[in-house]
Amino acid sequence: MPSPLRLRRIADGIKQLLSEMIVTGQISDPRLAGVFITDVNVDRELSFASIYVSSLDGKERSKEILDGFEHASGFIRSRLASEIQLRTFPALRFFWDETPERAERIERLIDSLSDENATDS
C-alpha cells in the first residue's frame, strides 16, 4: 500500500497533466471548453482516481461536461498512464465540484452585508 505522500504525488501529477491536456487542446471535445480541474484524489489501492471538475459557466453545463469527460476517459487514461509510471493505472471517475459556485455565493452575501452596513452608518 502506498504512503499518503505517494498518493498525493500521484494525484497531483494526474491533476497537472490533465489540466495541461485541457489547456493545450489535446482533448478536442468542445463540451470541455472552459473547464478546470479542482481536485484529484486517488484511493489507497490505486484502483480509482476521483477527479473533481468545475466550469466558468456554472452548474448549468455540469451534465454535458461530465458526459464529455466520460466519453474521453479511455483516451485520457491512456495518455496519463503513458506519463505516470504505475504498474496498473487507476480507473478515472469524474465528479462535479460545486465549491467555486458556493464560494462565489458566499462572497456575494458578504458583499451585500457590507453594503448594508455601509448604508446604515
Side-chain angles (χ1 to χ4, degrees):
M1 189 172 330
S3 70
L5 178 62
R6 178 159 163 69
L7 292 174
R8 183 76 290 189
R9 284 183 182 163
I10 293 169
D12 289 344
I14 291 172
K15 181 178 178 181
Q16 179 181 354
L17 289 170
L18 184 53
S19 296
E20 288 174 9
M21 289 172 67
I22 293 169
V23 169
T24 59
Q26 293 176 30
I27 305 170
S28 60
D29 195 326
R31 295 177 285 191
L32 303 182
V35 173
F36 54 94
I37 308 301
T38 57
D39 197 17
V40 176
N41 292 319
V42 180
D43 69 342
R44 294 184 334 175
E45 293 80 26
L46 294 174
S47 301
F48 295 100
S50 300
I51 301 170
Y52 297 90
V53 300
S54 193
S55 171
L56 301 173
D57 298 333
K59 193 171 175 99
E60 302 85 48
R61 291 189 49 225
S62 64
K63 178 156 176 36
E64 174 187 356
I65 290 168
L66 291 175
D67 288 343
F69 273 115
E70 290 299 325
H71 183 261
S73 65
F75 169 76
I76 294 169
R77 186 174 183 220
S78 67
R79 291 296 301 260
L80 292 173
S82 69
E83 296 290 327
I84 300 172
Q85 299 302 314
L86 296 172
R87 192 173 17 203
T88 59
F89 200 82
L92 306 179
R93 298 187 295 190
F94 297 95
F95 300 97
W96 186 256
D97 187 0
E98 295 181 359
T99 305
E101 295 162 349
R102 288 182 184 160
E104 183 180 337
R105 181 173 174 266
I106 290 170
E107 286 179 18
R108 282 193 310 246
L109 289 171
I110 291 171
D111 287 343
S112 69
L113 288 175
S114 62
D115 290 345
E116 287 177 16
N117 287 340
T119 26
D120 289 344
S121 301

